[in-house]
Amino acid sequence: MARSRDWDELQYVWTEWRRKSGQKIRDLYEQLVELSNQAAKLNKLTVIMARSRDWDELQYVWTEWRRKSGQKIRDLYEQLVELSNQAAKLNNLKDTAEYWMFPYDSPTFRFDVEDVWEEVKPLYELMHAYVRRKLRDLYGPDKISRSAPLPAHILGNTIIQNHH
């Protein structure tokens, strides 16, 4: 995007939108965070997900947590997505994804990311293969295949943000 009068107008519109309706998005986001925090406070769930190696127990706990928490935040999340997309459109962007990509706007950005991926891909594949092998040793080939995605419920927590 050119940094000209259009850029200044975009910044002005974005600032005005945030001033007028940004609080609603922040409120929705805070509600989502609060729901997430409530789930994290369920210490028993957290301990089970972190320490259990019982396939059936992990699958049950993970599935139930996702089902119950998802029901509570679905409408809120849909509102957040709608408002975020409206904000992007006010700034003459297609959607929130395009807005998030805006700071990286570069004619070669996609190629730059692909180049970085190609550099780290061999290490990623080695690490993934190591983890898969260890999980196959633990759970067996009937649970962990050689090629299918790793089941989320065995990766240590409910939201899959880290993999101890």
Side-chain angles (χ1 to χ4, degrees):
M1 191 173 277
R3 295 191 180 230
S4 62
R5 184 171 181 264
D6 291 340
W7 172 255
D8 293 337
E9 185 177 348
L10 173 69
Q11 291 301 323
Y12 172 77
V13 170
W14 178 240
T15 300
E16 284 300 301
W17 178 86
R18 286 184 63 165
R19 186 177 63 78
K20 292 177 182 175
S21 63
Q23 187 61 47
K24 184 166 184 168
I25 287 178
R26 286 190 296 277
D27 290 345
L28 290 170
Y29 178 75
E30 287 174 14
Q31 290 174 25
L32 283 171
V33 168
E34 178 57 28
L35 287 172
S36 178
N37 288 340
Q38 289 173 12
K41 290 177 185 174
L42 299 173
N43 192 41
K44 183 176 180 183
L45 171 71
T46 303
V47 170
I48 289 170
M49 292 303 298
R51 296 185 182 159
S52 176
R53 296 299 171 254
D54 180 312
W55 180 276
D56 294 330
E57 179 183 42
L58 289 170
Q59 189 172 38
Y60 174 78
V61 168
W62 188 86
T63 300
E64 285 303 301
W65 183 86
R66 302 286 291 183
R67 186 178 62 79
K68 290 177 181 175
S69 64
Q71 289 172 349
K72 289 180 181 178
I73 65 171
R74 181 185 178 115
D75 292 339
L76 194 58
Y77 183 75
E78 288 175 357
Q79 289 175 21
L80 180 62
V81 169
E82 185 179 324
L83 287 170
S84 295
N85 284 333
Q86 287 175 10
K89 288 175 184 173
L90 285 174
N91 289 293
N92 296 319
L93 299 168
K94 184 176 76 174
D95 56 22
T96 302
E98 191 172 303
Y99 171 74
W100 287 342
M101 295 298 293
F102 180 74
Y104 309 102
D105 194 19
S106 161
T108 62
F109 181 71
R110 189 172 303 270
F111 300 110
D112 296 342
V113 170
E114 288 175 15
D115 288 345
V116 170
W117 169 244
E118 289 304 318
E119 285 183 38
V120 300
K121 186 178 177 183
L123 176 60
Y124 173 85
E125 289 174 341
L126 284 171
M127 289 173 52
H128 194 274
Y130 176 81
V131 169
R132 179 181 298 282
R133 181 71 222 163
K134 290 294 185 181
L135 291 171
R136 279 176 63 89
D137 290 347
L138 181 63
Y139 293 111
D142 58 317
K143 303 277 191 205
I144 306 293
S145 81
R146 291 186 186 272
S147 59
L150 296 174
H153 70 277
I154 61 168
L155 297 177
N157 62 39
T158 54
I159 54 176
I160 319 303
Q161 87 272 14
N162 59 29
H163 310 287
H164 311 86

